[in-house]
Amino acid sequence: MAHRLADELLKDILAPPLLVSDALFCNTDDVSPFSRVDSSASDVLLVCKRWMRVATPCLYETVVIRSTAQAHALRAALTRNPQFGTYVRRFRIENTYATYLNTKIIATMPNIRELVLPIGVMAADRPTDLYALVANPKIEHFLVVNYRSRGSNVTRRKLLSKAIDAVATWKSLKRVTSSENSWKKLGDKFWDALAVCRTLHTVQIACRWLPTQMHYRRILTNVSLKQLVFVTRAYFSPLFGFDMEQWRNATGNDTCCISIKQPLSTLLLSSYAESEARQAGASEVASAVIASPNPFWKPMASADLETRINIWTRILMFGVENAVGHTRFRVRHSSSWINYERVEVNVAQNTVLLSKELSVATIRAVSQHLAPSTGRIMRTFCSMMKRDPALRRVPQTLRMTHVNTDDDLVQAMLELLQELESAVFQGAWMGQLESIKWLTAISPSVGHSLRRLELELPKPTVWTRQTGEVAKGVTLDPIAVFGGLEALQELVWSGEPLYFSEATIPKNMKGLRRLKKLQITKGHQSLFMFLSQIPLPALEEFVLTQAAKRAHKFIQNHGAVIRKFTAPSATTQEYFDSLSQLEELKLSDDNSTQFFSSIRCLSVTKLILMWPTSGSNWIGRYSSSFGFLLARKASFPNLREIWLPGRHIWPTTERDEKKNIWIPHSESLASVNIALKDANGWAWRQRLKIE
C-alpha cells in the first residue's frame, strides 16, 4: 500500500522517527545527551529507494556531529550530493573538525536556523569550521556549550570575537541559550552585542547560583527582550525559603523569570504580566462555572467542615511531600511522630498556623509517614487518633528504629492504624527480648492493608552487649505472625534471634498468598521450614544473602514459581534444578568466578553482577567470568543480558572510547547474542569508524 501513497503523505509518515526533539537538541548539560544514543532511526531509509528519496530531507534537517568519523561521513555525503546541505535547518557540533568540515562544505548548508556552538576549544585547534558556521546570517536560535577546556586561550578568544562580530549580522536572531559552564566565559562584549539586537526576545542562562544584577543588566537594556530565563538549582524553590518577589524587586525588571530544575519536576515562575494574564483567565473560567447550571458543582464555602478538611488534606499531602529525601533547611525535632525524610517540615510549620481548618488538614497530611522515636511520642499520637478518628486512615508508612518502649504500647498503636501499607522495624528495644512479641499484633491489626513488612533485629552478640544479658531467642507462633497478612506483597526479614514453633497449617489460611518478593538476610531454620509448608502462589522474587543450606527445602517446594533469584555463596546445581522458571539471576559480591564453571541454568535470560569495580584485580574477576560464559554458552543458552548496576561504564567522548575496557567485552559477548548493560540499562552501540 505504501507505493500508492503520495510523496507528501509518505513524508509525514516517515518524519516522526527521524525527528530530534527540541529538548534533546537544545540540551546544554555537562554531558552531551547524544553520547547515550544506542539506536539509529535512519534505518527506515534502507527499506527502498523511494523511502530514501522521500525521507532524506527529514534526515538532514537536524545534523549532530560529535566525532571525526561523523564529520568525515558528512563531508563525503555533501561532496557527492551538495543539494543535501540545503535541507539542514539545525546543526549541532560538539568539537572542531576543520580537517573535514572546511569552508566549502559549510557553504553547502546556507539554511541553518539553529546552531549549537562549542566554545571549549584548545589553543592548538584551528576551528575554521566554527568560524564559518557563526558567519551564517540566518541564525534564529544560538546555543553555546562547553564540554572541554575550562581556562581561556587565544583560540577561544578569537572564536568569541568572531561570534560577537556575527551577532550584528544575524537579522533573525530570536533566542540565545547558554550552558552552565559557558555563560560567564562569553564576556561582557558578547552581552553588549545582544543588548543592541532588536530581534532578540528570549535569553536562557543555565547557572548554579542566581547571578547578581551586574551580570545581566546589559541584556535588560534591550527593548525587544520579552523573557530572561535562569535555569538554576532547587535551592531557589519557595519550599526552601527563597523569596521570589524580593528577588524580582532587586532586579528592577519584570522580564526576569526562573526555571527551577528539581529531581522530579520543573517549577516555572514566569513574569508578572503572564501571571496576571493567567489569573484573569482563571477568574473568567470560575465565573463561567458559577453561572453554569451544573448540578454537580458545589462551592467550597458551602461544604461542611469535614469535607473542606478532607479536600485541604489531599492538597497538602502533595504540598508537604518531600521528593528530594533530604534538605539542608530542615530543622530536625526529636519530639515528633513525623518521618522527616518524607515530609517538608518548613511548609507544614507555615500552613499549620493559618487557621484551625488548615491546622487539622496539615496534621493529617504530615501523618502519612510516621517515625516515632520515643514511647511518649507514641502515646501522644495514639491520643490524637482517638480524638480524631479520621486520622487513623491517613498513615501509610511506619518506621520504628531503636524505639525504647514496651510491648503493649506498640500493639495499641498498631490497632488504631487502619490503612497502613508499609512497616519497617529496625534495631533493638530496651529490656528483654520478649518485648518483640508485639509482632503477633501486626497480623490482626493491619494485615488487611499491609503490603510491605521489614524486620531487622541485631545479632545476638550485639543484643548481649546492649542489654548486658545472655543472648537467647524467642519462640513465636508462625500462624499468629503471618496468618493474617493477606495483602502482604514484600517481606524483608533479618531476625536471627526469632524462632518459630511447629504449627499445623490451617486450610483457610490467607496469609502470604499475595507475597511477590521474599528477602531473608538472617533467618532461623524454623522460618524456612514454615515457609516451605505454606502455599506461595504469587511468589516471583527470592533474595537470599545467608547460607543457602537452610533454604534447601524451601527452594525445592517453591522453586517452580520463582522467576528472580539472588544467589548467595555455596549455591549448588541442585538449587538451580528446582528453579525451572528462573529468568533473572543476581550474584552478590561473595560469589566467585568459579560459579560459572560449576552451574548450569537453562532458563536464565538476565544476569546481574553486584560486584565491585575497584580494588585489586577487580577487572580480572569480570574478565574471567565473561570468559567462562563464552566458553560454556551451552550452560546458559537463553542468556541475553548481563547488567552491571554498580556504575556507568560506557564512554561519552571519542577520546574515552579508545581507553574504555568494557567495549572489547561487550563486542565479544555480542557475538553470542549477549548484551552487556550498565546501571541505566544502556548497551554499547558501535559508532561509525573510518576504515
Side-chain angles (χ1 to χ4, degrees):
M1 294 296 293
H3 66 279
R4 299 181 181 179
L5 295 175
D7 288 353
E8 294 78 8
L9 295 177
L10 184 59
K11 182 179 179 181
D12 292 339
I13 296 173
L14 299 179
L18 299 174
L19 177 66
V20 178
S21 64
D22 291 339
L24 191 63
F25 180 83
C26 301
N27 187 286
T28 59
D29 292 342
D30 295 338
V31 178
S32 172
F34 295 96
S35 63
R36 301 297 188 185
V37 176
D38 56 357
S39 62
S40 176
S42 60
D43 295 340
V44 298
L45 276 70
L46 304 179
V47 175
C48 62
K49 292 183 179 180
R50 183 170 181 244
W51 282 34
M52 177 173 288
R53 175 177 57 82
V54 173
T56 295
C58 300
L59 176 67
Y60 279 88
E61 182 177 348
T62 301
V63 176
V64 179
I65 302 297
R66 57 184 318 274
S67 67
T68 54
Q70 291 176 333
H72 177 72
L74 180 63
R75 184 186 69 171
L78 296 183
T79 301
R80 290 192 298 265
N81 303 282
Q83 69 276 15
F84 288 175
T86 60
Y87 303 147
V88 180
R89 296 293 186 274
R90 302 193 298 176
F91 195 87
R92 181 183 180 112
I93 183 170
E94 299 183 0
N95 200 351
T96 174
Y97 304 101
T99 306
Y100 303 98
L101 303 180
N102 51 37
T103 307
K104 183 178 179 180
I105 297 298
I106 299 298
T108 61
M109 299 180 289
N111 299 323
I112 296 177
R113 297 294 186 270
E114 297 186 53
L115 175 63
V116 179
L117 181 72
I119 62 172
V121 293
M122 301 297 184
D125 294 336
R126 295 294 179 265
T128 56
D129 53 344
L130 304 183
Y131 299 160
L133 285 171
V134 298
N136 191 329
K138 299 182 180 179
I139 299 297
E140 296 181 359
H141 187 190
F142 182 58
L143 299 96
V144 184
V145 294
N146 183 14
Y147 290 128
R148 297 175 65 191
S149 63
R150 297 182 179 180
S152 179
N153 54 64
V154 177
T155 306
R156 169 182 286 183
R157 290 193 292 270
K158 185 177 180 180
L159 176 60
L160 292 178
S161 177
K162 294 284 186 180
I164 293 171
D165 296 339
V167 170
T169 64
W170 293 342
K171 303 302 181 182
S172 303
L173 183 63
K174 298 178 181 178
R175 295 183 60 192
V176 174
T177 303
S178 175
S179 63
E180 182 176 312
N181 55 359
S182 64
W183 71 276
K184 286 185 178 180
K185 298 178 176 61
L186 294 175
D188 295 340
K189 293 183 179 180
F190 181 80
W191 301 112
D192 290 338
L194 294 181
V196 298
C197 181
R198 293 297 175 254
T199 59
L200 184 66
H201 62 71
T202 301
V203 175
Q204 179 174 313
I205 301 174
C207 51
R208 184 177 298 272
W209 306 102
L210 280 181
T212 60
Q213 188 176 357
M214 295 295 292
H215 288 100
Y216 56 85
R217 64 180 180 181
R218 295 173 174 82
I219 294 293
L220 298 180
T221 59
N222 193 329
V223 295
S224 65
L225 187 65
K226 297 180 179 179
Q227 198 174 42
L228 175 60
V229 181
F230 292 100
V231 181
T232 183
R233 303 298 183 181
Y235 305 121
F236 300 96
S237 167
L239 298 181
F240 290 83
F242 178 71
D243 192 343
M244 170 60 69
E245 294 187 4
Q246 182 179 0
W247 183 83
R248 284 188 184 277
N249 295 334
T251 62
N253 196 298
D254 293 343
T255 61
C256 298
C257 65
I258 298 179
S259 176
I260 300 175
K261 283 192 174 181
Q262 298 184 6
L264 299 180
S265 63
T266 300
L267 176 64
L268 178 63
L269 304 175
S270 56
S271 61
Y272 284 150
E274 294 175 347
S275 178
E276 293 174 358
R278 287 199 303 269
Q279 293 177 1
S283 62
E284 294 176 1
V285 174
S287 62
V289 173
I290 294 175
S292 65
N294 187 352
F296 300 100
W297 182 83
K298 186 176 182 180
M300 184 75 165
S302 302
D304 58 273
L305 178 61
E306 186 63 26
T307 301
R308 295 199 303 271
I309 292 177
N310 291 335
I311 294 175
W312 280 117
T313 301
R314 295 180 62 182
I315 295 174
L316 290 175
M317 280 182 176
F318 294 97
V320 301
E321 183 77 15
N322 181 24
V324 179
H326 66 277
T327 170
R328 53 190 269 188
F329 294 97
R330 180 179 297 115
V331 179
R332 293 184 176 273
H333 304 277
S334 59
S335 59
S336 179
W337 63 91
I338 302 173
N339 187 345
Y340 292 100
E341 298 298 326
R342 305 288 298 273
V343 176
E344 277 287 354
V345 181
N346 290 350
V347 179
Q349 287 177 337
N350 293 331
T351 57
V352 77
L353 302 176
L354 295 178
S355 65
K356 293 183 179 180
E357 184 177 311
L358 287 176
S359 176
V360 177
T362 302
I363 292 176
R364 293 183 185 178
V366 298
S367 300
Q368 294 178 92
H369 310 291
L370 306 179
S373 57
T374 63
R376 180 180 61 83
I377 296 174
M378 295 175 63
R379 294 187 184 91
T380 301
F381 189 70
C382 288
S383 62
M384 293 172 59
M385 288 190 290
K386 293 177 181 179
R387 292 194 303 267
D388 185 9
L391 188 59
R392 304 178 185 179
R393 300 188 299 271
V394 174
Q396 299 177 4
T397 66
L398 172 65
R399 174 180 291 273
M400 299 180 65
T401 305
H402 300 283
V403 178
N404 301 325
T405 183
D406 54 19
D407 198 21
D408 296 336
L409 185 56
V410 178
Q411 183 174 350
M413 189 179 71
L414 290 174
E415 292 175 352
L416 292 174
L417 301 176
Q418 298 181 359
E419 302 293 338
L420 191 66
E421 297 182 0
S422 175
V424 178
F425 303 96
Q426 296 177 334
W429 275 257
M430 184 178 295
Q432 300 292 334
L433 184 60
E434 283 76 2
S435 62
I436 203 66
K437 288 186 177 180
W438 53 263
L439 271 173
T440 57
I442 297 179
S443 182
S445 302
V446 294
H448 64 283
S449 62
L450 192 65
R451 298 183 180 181
R452 185 179 187 275
L453 175 61
E454 179 179 347
L455 178 68
E456 180 183 348
L457 295 181
K459 297 180 180 179
T461 54
V462 178
W463 196 284
T464 304
R465 185 170 62 251
Q466 290 180 348
T467 61
E469 300 178 359
V470 179
K472 58 181 180 179
V474 173
T475 303
L476 299 175
D477 181 11
I479 306 300
V481 176
F482 302 108
L485 300 178
E486 56 188 54
L488 193 67
Q489 298 181 4
E490 181 179 354
L491 176 61
V492 181
W493 190 274
S494 179
E496 196 171 17
L498 298 182
Y499 311 146
F500 292 94
S501 59
E502 296 184 2
T504 303
I505 310 300
K507 296 182 179 180
N508 59 347
M509 176 180 167
K510 299 181 180 179
L512 304 183
R513 291 296 182 100
R514 300 181 181 179
L515 187 66
K516 295 182 178 181
K517 180 179 179 180
L518 175 62
Q519 179 177 342
I520 300 180
T521 304
K522 293 292 182 180
H524 191 258
Q525 181 68 35
S526 58
L527 173 64
F528 291 99
M529 291 300 298
F530 168 74
L531 293 176
S532 62
Q533 298 174 8
I534 63 174
L536 300 175
L539 186 63
E540 297 179 357
E541 183 176 358
F542 181 39
V543 180
L544 184 63
T545 57
Q546 66 179 82
K549 185 177 180 180
R550 294 185 179 181
H552 177 69
K553 186 68 174 178
F554 174 83
I555 294 179
Q556 278 187 339
N557 294 347
H558 301 294
V561 298
I562 297 176
R563 299 182 181 274
K564 301 178 181 180
F565 178 54
T566 300
S569 59
T571 305
T572 61
Q573 180 63 41
E574 187 178 0
Y575 290 88
F576 289 95
D577 293 338
S578 302
L579 299 169
S580 57
Q581 303 295 326
L582 187 63
E583 298 177 357
E584 180 180 306
L585 176 61
K586 182 182 296 185
L587 300 182
S588 56
D589 186 21
D590 53 356
N591 289 100
S592 64
T593 56
Q594 300 299 324
F595 175 88
F596 298 102
S597 62
S598 58
I599 296 299
R600 185 171 181 265
C601 192
L602 304 179
S603 59
V604 170
T605 60
K606 181 178 180 180
L607 178 63
I608 303 176
L609 302 180
M610 306 293 295
W611 296 347
T613 55
S614 60
S616 60
N617 196 28
W618 63 271
I619 188 60
R621 187 178 187 181
Y622 286 94
S623 301
S624 301
S625 301
F626 297 153
F628 278 123
L629 289 174
L630 292 173
R632 304 182 72 249
K633 184 64 171 65
S635 300
F636 296 85
N638 293 318
L639 184 62
R640 294 294 178 266
E641 298 178 357
I642 298 180
W643 285 57
L644 307 179
R647 59 179 296 176
H648 305 281
I649 62 177
W650 304 126
T652 58
T653 63
E654 190 176 13
R655 177 181 298 179
D656 296 339
E657 181 179 347
K658 300 178 182 178
K659 302 181 294 183
N660 191 272
I661 61 177
W662 299 101
I663 294 178
H665 293 302
S666 176
E667 294 175 347
S668 60
L669 291 172
S671 63
V672 292
N673 296 326
I674 299 178
L676 183 62
K677 298 187 177 182
D678 66 352
N680 289 335
W682 288 328
W684 174 250
R685 175 177 176 269
Q686 184 60 52
R687 268 55 174 178
L688 183 66
K689 291 184 177 180
I690 302 176
E691 297 295 338

